Amino acid sequence: MRIMLVEDEREMANALRSALAKHDMVVDHVTTMGDAEAAAGSFQYDAILLDRQLPDGDGLALLPRLRRRGLGVPVIVLTAKGDLADRVSGLDTGADDYLAKPFALEELLARLRAVLRRPAGMAAEMLRLGKLTFDFGNRQAFVAGELVPLRRRELLVLEALARRKGRTVLRTVLEDAVYSFDDEIQSNALDTHVSRLRKKLSEAGAEVEIHPIRGVGYLMKRAS
Ligand code: CA
């Protein structure tokens, strides 16, 4: 799951970044609407966390700019302006949710889960393939009811593959799902995460296969 954080206050941004990273999310941090619009055009985000008071204006102005470009990504507006009128204007502008600072991280996570469950976010709440069940809401993998313990990047790879089940997923798409633009990517790192994931799924008896498609990417399907 890849999140864009649009926030100009350094302390707030750093705290959110590390908290979200601990919850297995990839976070790209930008400080202006201009940079946010550019990043949204280049990468696929699962959600955007948007501050309102930004150096280049009221963050709400970003929403129509994104929607005009056909970007339906869920947006949660984060702001110190928490009164009712501001809340209503935020939602009217096309925000999916609104959270007044200061907020508890648990609440932000719950709201992220909620917007991601809506139809405009992820298409399916559960993937079932072979004996594997992937729960998109809680971001957990199960085989025959048993949780498969996955490390952060393994989970991110599986989540990206699960969302595109039965289709070849480009390396670049997987890398975008696993690394933020501040991460350094070593050339074989993705393959390492895939092979660890494959091993764990196989040991759990998931009956799914992750095939490398040479020079293109990976395909996850039911074991034949
Ligand atoms: Ca601000």
PDB file of all heavy atoms in Angstrom, residues 172-202:
ATOM      1  N   THR A 172       8.134  -2.619 -12.563  1.00  0.00           N
ATOM      2  CA  THR A 172       8.071  -1.213 -12.115  1.00  0.00           C
ATOM      3  C   THR A 172       6.858  -0.996 -11.211  1.00  0.00           C
ATOM      4  O   THR A 172       6.922  -0.219 -10.268  1.00  0.00           O
ATOM      5  CB  THR A 172       7.987  -0.249 -13.313  1.00  0.00           C
ATOM      6  OG1 THR A 172       6.925  -0.679 -14.164  1.00  0.00           O
ATOM      7  CG2 THR A 172       9.269  -0.211 -14.103  1.00  0.00           C
ATOM      8  N   VAL A 173       5.761  -1.695 -11.516  1.00  0.00           N
ATOM      9  CA  VAL A 173       4.561  -1.565 -10.682  1.00  0.00           C
ATOM     10  C   VAL A 173       4.831  -2.141  -9.293  1.00  0.00           C
ATOM     11  O   VAL A 173       4.471  -1.557  -8.273  1.00  0.00           O
ATOM     12  CB  VAL A 173       3.353  -2.271 -11.352  1.00  0.00           C
ATOM     13  CG1 VAL A 173       2.164  -2.352 -10.408  1.00  0.00           C
ATOM     14  CG2 VAL A 173       2.968  -1.540 -12.639  1.00  0.00           C
ATOM     15  N   LEU A 174       5.513  -3.291  -9.270  1.00  0.00           N
ATOM     16  CA  LEU A 174       5.849  -3.893  -7.970  1.00  0.00           C
ATOM     17  C   LEU A 174       6.828  -3.016  -7.200  1.00  0.00           C
ATOM     18  O   LEU A 174       6.676  -2.806  -6.002  1.00  0.00           O
ATOM     19  CB  LEU A 174       6.434  -5.292  -8.174  1.00  0.00           C
ATOM     20  CG  LEU A 174       5.421  -6.349  -8.612  1.00  0.00           C
ATOM     21  CD1 LEU A 174       6.131  -7.657  -8.944  1.00  0.00           C
ATOM     22  CD2 LEU A 174       4.375  -6.592  -7.545  1.00  0.00           C
ATOM     23  N   GLU A 175       7.812  -2.490  -7.904  1.00  0.00           N
ATOM     24  CA  GLU A 175       8.780  -1.615  -7.219  1.00  0.00           C
ATOM     25  C   GLU A 175       8.086  -0.374  -6.668  1.00  0.00           C
ATOM     26  O   GLU A 175       8.381   0.067  -5.555  1.00  0.00           O
ATOM     27  CB  GLU A 175       9.927  -1.240  -8.162  1.00  0.00           C
ATOM     28  CG  GLU A 175      10.903  -2.396  -8.316  1.00  0.00           C
ATOM     29  CD  GLU A 175      11.935  -2.196  -9.413  1.00  0.00           C
ATOM     30  OE1 GLU A 175      11.826  -1.218 -10.185  1.00  0.00           O
ATOM     31  OE2 GLU A 175      12.853  -3.026  -9.501  1.00  0.00           O
ATOM     32  N   ASP A 176       7.136   0.161  -7.441  1.00  0.00           N
ATOM     33  CA  ASP A 176       6.392   1.331  -6.953  1.00  0.00           C
ATOM     34  C   ASP A 176       5.561   0.984  -5.721  1.00  0.00           C
ATOM     35  O   ASP A 176       5.313   1.834  -4.872  1.00  0.00           O
ATOM     36  CB  ASP A 176       5.439   1.866  -8.030  1.00  0.00           C
ATOM     37  CG  ASP A 176       6.172   2.649  -9.107  1.00  0.00           C
ATOM     38  OD1 ASP A 176       7.384   2.888  -8.953  1.00  0.00           O
ATOM     39  OD2 ASP A 176       5.533   3.020 -10.102  1.00  0.00           O
ATOM     40  N   ALA A 177       5.114  -0.259  -5.654  1.00  0.00           N
ATOM     41  CA  ALA A 177       4.282  -0.666  -4.511  1.00  0.00           C
ATOM     42  C   ALA A 177       5.129  -0.899  -3.257  1.00  0.00           C
ATOM     43  O   ALA A 177       4.625  -0.837  -2.148  1.00  0.00           O
ATOM     44  CB  ALA A 177       3.502  -1.937  -4.855  1.00  0.00           C
ATOM     45  N   VAL A 178       6.407  -1.165  -3.457  1.00  0.00           N
ATOM     46  CA  VAL A 178       7.247  -1.604  -2.349  1.00  0.00           C
ATOM     47  C   VAL A 178       8.195  -0.507  -1.849  1.00  0.00           C
ATOM     48  O   VAL A 178       8.567  -0.475  -0.684  1.00  0.00           O
ATOM     49  CB  VAL A 178       8.046  -2.861  -2.775  1.00  0.00           C
ATOM     50  CG1 VAL A 178       9.047  -3.288  -1.723  1.00  0.00           C
ATOM     51  CG2 VAL A 178       7.080  -4.016  -3.072  1.00  0.00           C
ATOM     52  N   TYR A 179       8.562   0.403  -2.737  1.00  0.00           N
ATOM     53  CA  TYR A 179       9.548   1.427  -2.362  1.00  0.00           C
ATOM     54  C   TYR A 179       8.972   2.820  -2.528  1.00  0.00           C
ATOM     55  O   TYR A 179       8.286   3.106  -3.502  1.00  0.00           O
ATOM     56  CB  TYR A 179      10.786   1.324  -3.262  1.00  0.00           C
ATOM     57  CG  TYR A 179      11.466  -0.006  -3.163  1.00  0.00           C
ATOM     58  CD1 TYR A 179      11.325  -0.951  -4.177  1.00  0.00           C
ATOM     59  CD2 TYR A 179      12.232  -0.326  -2.056  1.00  0.00           C
ATOM     60  CE1 TYR A 179      11.939  -2.193  -4.084  1.00  0.00           C
ATOM     61  CE2 TYR A 179      12.846  -1.562  -1.958  1.00  0.00           C
ATOM     62  CZ  TYR A 179      12.694  -2.482  -2.971  1.00  0.00           C
ATOM     63  OH  TYR A 179      13.298  -3.703  -2.873  1.00  0.00           O
ATOM     64  N   SER A 180       9.284   3.693  -1.582  1.00  0.00           N
ATOM     65  CA  SER A 180       8.924   5.094  -1.746  1.00  0.00           C
ATOM     66  C   SER A 180      10.003   5.739  -2.603  1.00  0.00           C
ATOM     67  O   SER A 180      11.054   5.140  -2.847  1.00  0.00           O
ATOM     68  CB  SER A 180       8.846   5.791  -0.389  1.00  0.00           C
ATOM     69  OG  SER A 180      10.146   6.058   0.089  1.00  0.00           O
ATOM     70  N   PHE A 181       9.790   6.990  -3.046  1.00  0.00           N
ATOM     71  CA  PHE A 181      10.813   7.555  -3.907  1.00  0.00           C
ATOM     72  C   PHE A 181      12.065   7.982  -3.154  1.00  0.00           C
ATOM     73  O   PHE A 181      13.035   8.379  -3.760  1.00  0.00           O
ATOM     74  CB  PHE A 181      10.291   8.600  -4.900  1.00  0.00           C
ATOM     75  CG  PHE A 181       9.433   9.698  -4.375  1.00  0.00           C
ATOM     76  CD1 PHE A 181       9.836  10.514  -3.327  1.00  0.00           C
ATOM     77  CD2 PHE A 181       8.202   9.945  -4.972  1.00  0.00           C
ATOM     78  CE1 PHE A 181       9.043  11.550  -2.884  1.00  0.00           C
ATOM     79  CE2 PHE A 181       7.396  10.986  -4.518  1.00  0.00           C
ATOM     80  CZ  PHE A 181       7.809  11.783  -3.476  1.00  0.00           C
ATOM     81  N   ASP A 182      12.064   7.849  -1.840  1.00  0.00           N
ATOM     82  CA  ASP A 182      13.292   8.111  -1.084  1.00  0.00           C
ATOM     83  C   ASP A 182      14.118   6.848  -0.860  1.00  0.00           C
ATOM     84  O   ASP A 182      15.262   6.926  -0.423  1.00  0.00           O
ATOM     85  CB  ASP A 182      12.966   8.707   0.293  1.00  0.00           C
ATOM     86  CG  ASP A 182      12.297  10.053   0.160  1.00  0.00           C
ATOM     87  OD1 ASP A 182      12.646  10.786  -0.785  1.00  0.00           O
ATOM     88  OD2 ASP A 182      11.424  10.365   0.979  1.00  0.00           O
ATOM     89  N   ASP A 183      13.526   5.688  -1.096  1.00  0.00           N
ATOM     90  CA  ASP A 183      14.247   4.436  -0.863  1.00  0.00           C
ATOM     91  C   ASP A 183      15.247   4.185  -1.983  1.00  0.00           C
ATOM     92  O   ASP A 183      14.961   4.456  -3.142  1.00  0.00           O
ATOM     93  CB  ASP A 183      13.272   3.240  -0.845  1.00  0.00           C
ATOM     94  CG  ASP A 183      12.402   3.222   0.404  1.00  0.00           C
ATOM     95  OD1 ASP A 183      12.865   3.688   1.452  1.00  0.00           O
ATOM     96  OD2 ASP A 183      11.255   2.747   0.311  1.00  0.00           O
ATOM     97  N   GLU A 184      16.387   3.636  -1.590  1.00  0.00           N
ATOM     98  CA  GLU A 184      17.320   3.200  -2.625  1.00  0.00           C
ATOM     99  C   GLU A 184      16.972   1.769  -2.998  1.00  0.00           C
ATOM    100  O   GLU A 184      16.816   0.918  -2.136  1.00  0.00           O
ATOM    101  CB  GLU A 184      18.742   3.226  -2.080  1.00  0.00           C
ATOM    102  CG  GLU A 184      19.394   4.575  -2.265  1.00  0.00           C
ATOM    103  CD  GLU A 184      20.814   4.568  -1.744  1.00  0.00           C
ATOM    104  OE1 GLU A 184      21.577   3.661  -2.142  1.00  0.00           O
ATOM    105  OE2 GLU A 184      21.133   5.447  -0.945  1.00  0.00           O
ATOM    106  N   ILE A 185      16.842   1.520  -4.275  1.00  0.00           N
ATOM    107  CA  ILE A 185      16.468   0.173  -4.709  1.00  0.00           C
ATOM    108  C   ILE A 185      17.694  -0.532  -5.255  1.00  0.00           C
ATOM    109  O   ILE A 185      18.322  -0.058  -6.191  1.00  0.00           O
ATOM    110  CB  ILE A 185      15.393   0.228  -5.820  1.00  0.00           C
ATOM    111  CG1 ILE A 185      14.239   1.129  -5.395  1.00  0.00           C
ATOM    112  CG2 ILE A 185      14.897  -1.175  -6.143  1.00  0.00           C
ATOM    113  CD1 ILE A 185      13.175   1.304  -6.462  1.00  0.00           C
ATOM    114  N   GLN A 186      18.047  -1.655  -4.619  1.00  0.00           N
ATOM    115  CA  GLN A 186      19.122  -2.461  -5.178  1.00  0.00           C
ATOM    116  C   GLN A 186      18.541  -3.347  -6.266  1.00  0.00           C
ATOM    117  O   GLN A 186      17.386  -3.761  -6.173  1.00  0.00           O
ATOM    118  CB  GLN A 186      19.788  -3.294  -4.080  1.00  0.00           C
ATOM    119  CG  GLN A 186      20.780  -2.452  -3.302  1.00  0.00           C
ATOM    120  CD  GLN A 186      20.747  -2.711  -1.821  1.00  0.00           C
ATOM    121  OE1 GLN A 186      20.093  -3.628  -1.367  1.00  0.00           O
ATOM    122  NE2 GLN A 186      21.453  -1.881  -1.077  1.00  0.00           N
ATOM    123  N   SER A 187      19.349  -3.631  -7.279  1.00  0.00           N
ATOM    124  CA  SER A 187      18.781  -4.201  -8.496  1.00  0.00           C
ATOM    125  C   SER A 187      18.058  -5.534  -8.283  1.00  0.00           C
ATOM    126  O   SER A 187      17.059  -5.791  -8.918  1.00  0.00           O
ATOM    127  CB  SER A 187      19.853  -4.324  -9.567  1.00  0.00           C
ATOM    128  OG  SER A 187      20.850  -5.200  -9.109  1.00  0.00           O
ATOM    129  N   ASN A 188      18.548  -6.381  -7.371  1.00  0.00           N
ATOM    130  CA  ASN A 188      17.885  -7.669  -7.217  1.00  0.00           C
ATOM    131  C   ASN A 188      16.983  -7.756  -5.999  1.00  0.00           C
ATOM    132  O   ASN A 188      16.458  -8.816  -5.675  1.00  0.00           O
ATOM    133  CB  ASN A 188      18.915  -8.796  -7.127  1.00  0.00           C
ATOM    134  CG  ASN A 188      19.615  -8.975  -8.452  1.00  0.00           C
ATOM    135  OD1 ASN A 188      18.978  -8.867  -9.503  1.00  0.00           O
ATOM    136  ND2 ASN A 188      20.906  -9.198  -8.414  1.00  0.00           N
ATOM    137  N   ALA A 189      16.801  -6.619  -5.326  1.00  0.00           N
ATOM    138  CA  ALA A 189      16.077  -6.654  -4.063  1.00  0.00           C
ATOM    139  C   ALA A 189      14.655  -7.166  -4.244  1.00  0.00           C
ATOM    140  O   ALA A 189      14.172  -7.971  -3.446  1.00  0.00           O
ATOM    141  CB  ALA A 189      16.063  -5.265  -3.435  1.00  0.00           C
ATOM    142  N   LEU A 190      14.003  -6.727  -5.298  1.00  0.00           N
ATOM    143  CA  LEU A 190      12.619  -7.147  -5.515  1.00  0.00           C
ATOM    144  C   LEU A 190      12.532  -8.673  -5.649  1.00  0.00           C
ATOM    145  O   LEU A 190      11.665  -9.315  -5.059  1.00  0.00           O
ATOM    146  CB  LEU A 190      12.047  -6.464  -6.768  1.00  0.00           C
ATOM    147  CG  LEU A 190      10.604  -6.860  -7.104  1.00  0.00           C
ATOM    148  CD1 LEU A 190       9.633  -6.352  -6.042  1.00  0.00           C
ATOM    149  CD2 LEU A 190      10.209  -6.339  -8.473  1.00  0.00           C
ATOM    150  N   ASP A 191      13.477  -9.236  -6.413  1.00  0.00           N
ATOM    151  CA  ASP A 191      13.462 -10.695  -6.609  1.00  0.00           C
ATOM    152  C   ASP A 191      13.677 -11.430  -5.295  1.00  0.00           C
ATOM    153  O   ASP A 191      13.115 -12.495  -5.074  1.00  0.00           O
ATOM    154  CB  ASP A 191      14.548 -11.084  -7.618  1.00  0.00           C
ATOM    155  CG  ASP A 191      14.381 -10.309  -8.910  1.00  0.00           C
ATOM    156  OD1 ASP A 191      13.379 -10.516  -9.593  1.00  0.00           O
ATOM    157  OD2 ASP A 191      15.237  -9.448  -9.201  1.00  0.00           O
ATOM    158  N   THR A 192      14.482 -10.841  -4.422  1.00  0.00           N
ATOM    159  CA  THR A 192      14.699 -11.446  -3.109  1.00  0.00           C
ATOM    160  C   THR A 192      13.399 -11.474  -2.309  1.00  0.00           C
ATOM    161  O   THR A 192      13.051 -12.490  -1.704  1.00  0.00           O
ATOM    162  CB  THR A 192      15.764 -10.643  -2.328  1.00  0.00           C
ATOM    163  OG1 THR A 192      16.894 -10.505  -3.171  1.00  0.00           O
ATOM    164  CG2 THR A 192      16.156 -11.348  -1.048  1.00  0.00           C
ATOM    165  N   HIS A 193      12.684 -10.360  -2.314  1.00  0.00           N
ATOM    166  CA  HIS A 193      11.409 -10.339  -1.581  1.00  0.00           C
ATOM    167  C   HIS A 193      10.418 -11.339  -2.179  1.00  0.00           C
ATOM    168  O   HIS A 193       9.713 -12.032  -1.457  1.00  0.00           O
ATOM    169  CB  HIS A 193      10.781  -8.940  -1.597  1.00  0.00           C
ATOM    170  CG  HIS A 193      11.666  -7.885  -1.008  1.00  0.00           C
ATOM    171  ND1 HIS A 193      12.262  -8.022   0.214  1.00  0.00           N
ATOM    172  CD2 HIS A 193      12.076  -6.692  -1.497  1.00  0.00           C
ATOM    173  CE1 HIS A 193      12.999  -6.953   0.462  1.00  0.00           C
ATOM    174  NE2 HIS A 193      12.910  -6.133  -0.560  1.00  0.00           N
ATOM    175  N   VAL A 194      10.393 -11.399  -3.503  1.00  0.00           N
ATOM    176  CA  VAL A 194       9.473 -12.338  -4.160  1.00  0.00           C
ATOM    177  C   VAL A 194       9.837 -13.768  -3.792  1.00  0.00           C
ATOM    178  O   VAL A 194       8.957 -14.575  -3.473  1.00  0.00           O
ATOM    179  CB  VAL A 194       9.480 -12.152  -5.699  1.00  0.00           C
ATOM    180  CG1 VAL A 194       8.702 -13.279  -6.377  1.00  0.00           C
ATOM    181  CG2 VAL A 194       8.892 -10.802  -6.074  1.00  0.00           C
ATOM    182  N   SER A 195      11.135 -14.093  -3.778  1.00  0.00           N
ATOM    183  CA  SER A 195      11.464 -15.496  -3.534  1.00  0.00           C
ATOM    184  C   SER A 195      11.201 -15.868  -2.075  1.00  0.00           C
ATOM    185  O   SER A 195      10.768 -16.982  -1.792  1.00  0.00           O
ATOM    186  CB  SER A 195      12.878 -15.838  -4.006  1.00  0.00           C
ATOM    187  OG  SER A 195      13.800 -15.252  -3.176  1.00  0.00           O
ATOM    188  N   ARG A 196      11.402 -14.927  -1.144  1.00  0.00           N
ATOM    189  CA  ARG A 196      11.040 -15.213   0.261  1.00  0.00           C
ATOM    190  C   ARG A 196       9.535 -15.404   0.408  1.00  0.00           C
ATOM    191  O   ARG A 196       9.069 -16.280   1.122  1.00  0.00           O
ATOM    192  CB  ARG A 196      11.473 -14.064   1.168  1.00  0.00           C
ATOM    193  CG  ARG A 196      12.966 -14.028   1.353  1.00  0.00           C
ATOM    194  CD  ARG A 196      13.311 -13.266   2.627  1.00  0.00           C
ATOM    195  NE  ARG A 196      14.727 -12.975   2.626  1.00  0.00           N
ATOM    196  CZ  ARG A 196      15.239 -11.753   2.616  1.00  0.00           C
ATOM    197  NH1 ARG A 196      14.467 -10.692   2.647  1.00  0.00           N
ATOM    198  NH2 ARG A 196      16.539 -11.586   2.593  1.00  0.00           N
ATOM    199  N   LEU A 197       8.786 -14.546  -0.286  1.00  0.00           N
ATOM    200  CA  LEU A 197       7.328 -14.648  -0.230  1.00  0.00           C
ATOM    201  C   LEU A 197       6.864 -15.985  -0.794  1.00  0.00           C
ATOM    202  O   LEU A 197       6.026 -16.684  -0.203  1.00  0.00           O
ATOM    203  CB  LEU A 197       6.712 -13.487  -1.041  1.00  0.00           C
ATOM    204  CG  LEU A 197       5.207 -13.545  -1.275  1.00  0.00           C
ATOM    205  CD1 LEU A 197       4.449 -13.456   0.041  1.00  0.00           C
ATOM    206  CD2 LEU A 197       4.778 -12.405  -2.201  1.00  0.00           C
ATOM    207  N   ARG A 198       7.442 -16.345  -1.914  1.00  0.00           N
ATOM    208  CA  ARG A 198       7.083 -17.607  -2.577  1.00  0.00           C
ATOM    209  C   ARG A 198       7.340 -18.791  -1.635  1.00  0.00           C
ATOM    210  O   ARG A 198       6.501 -19.686  -1.515  1.00  0.00           O
ATOM    211  CB  ARG A 198       7.941 -17.729  -3.835  1.00  0.00           C
ATOM    212  CG  ARG A 198       7.535 -18.841  -4.743  1.00  0.00           C
ATOM    213  CD  ARG A 198       8.558 -18.993  -5.844  1.00  0.00           C
ATOM    214  NE  ARG A 198       8.390 -18.084  -6.948  1.00  0.00           N
ATOM    215  CZ  ARG A 198       9.376 -17.344  -7.486  1.00  0.00           C
ATOM    216  NH1 ARG A 198      10.599 -17.373  -6.976  1.00  0.00           N
ATOM    217  NH2 ARG A 198       9.136 -16.576  -8.512  1.00  0.00           N
ATOM    218  N   LYS A 199       8.494 -18.741  -0.957  1.00  0.00           N
ATOM    219  CA  LYS A 199       8.864 -19.814  -0.041  1.00  0.00           C
ATOM    220  C   LYS A 199       7.857 -19.899   1.113  1.00  0.00           C
ATOM    221  O   LYS A 199       7.391 -20.989   1.459  1.00  0.00           O
ATOM    222  CB  LYS A 199      10.276 -19.543   0.484  1.00  0.00           C
ATOM    223  CG  LYS A 199      10.875 -20.640   1.324  1.00  0.00           C
ATOM    224  CD  LYS A 199      12.409 -20.475   1.381  1.00  0.00           C
ATOM    225  CE  LYS A 199      13.044 -21.530   2.268  1.00  0.00           C
ATOM    226  NZ  LYS A 199      13.134 -21.100   3.668  1.00  0.00           N
ATOM    227  N   LYS A 200       7.515 -18.765   1.679  1.00  0.00           N
ATOM    228  CA  LYS A 200       6.570 -18.776   2.808  1.00  0.00           C
ATOM    229  C   LYS A 200       5.196 -19.288   2.377  1.00  0.00           C
ATOM    230  O   LYS A 200       4.548 -20.034   3.111  1.00  0.00           O
ATOM    231  CB  LYS A 200       6.425 -17.375   3.397  1.00  0.00           C
ATOM    232  CG  LYS A 200       7.626 -16.985   4.226  1.00  0.00           C
ATOM    233  CD  LYS A 200       7.411 -15.693   4.971  1.00  0.00           C
ATOM    234  CE  LYS A 200       8.678 -15.314   5.725  1.00  0.00           C
ATOM    235  NZ  LYS A 200       8.587 -13.991   6.360  1.00  0.00           N
ATOM    236  N   LEU A 201       4.756 -18.858   1.190  1.00  0.00           N
ATOM    237  CA  LEU A 201       3.442 -19.309   0.715  1.00  0.00           C
ATOM    238  C   LEU A 201       3.465 -20.806   0.450  1.00  0.00           C
ATOM    239  O   LEU A 201       2.520 -21.527   0.774  1.00  0.00           O
ATOM    240  CB  LEU A 201       3.030 -18.543  -0.547  1.00  0.00           C
ATOM    241  CG  LEU A 201       2.711 -17.057  -0.353  1.00  0.00           C
ATOM    242  CD1 LEU A 201       2.386 -16.403  -1.688  1.00  0.00           C
ATOM    243  CD2 LEU A 201       1.564 -16.853   0.637  1.00  0.00           C
ATOM    244  N   SER A 202       4.555 -21.244  -0.122  1.00  0.00           N
ATOM    245  CA  SER A 202       4.656 -22.665  -0.442  1.00  0.00           C
ATOM    246  C   SER A 202       4.709 -23.505   0.841  1.00  0.00           C
ATOM    247  O   SER A 202       4.018 -24.520   0.969  1.00  0.00           O
ATOM    248  CB  SER A 202       5.892 -22.870  -1.330  1.00  0.00           C
ATOM    249  OG  SER A 202       6.389 -24.158  -1.154  1.00  0.00           O
TER     250      SER A 202
END
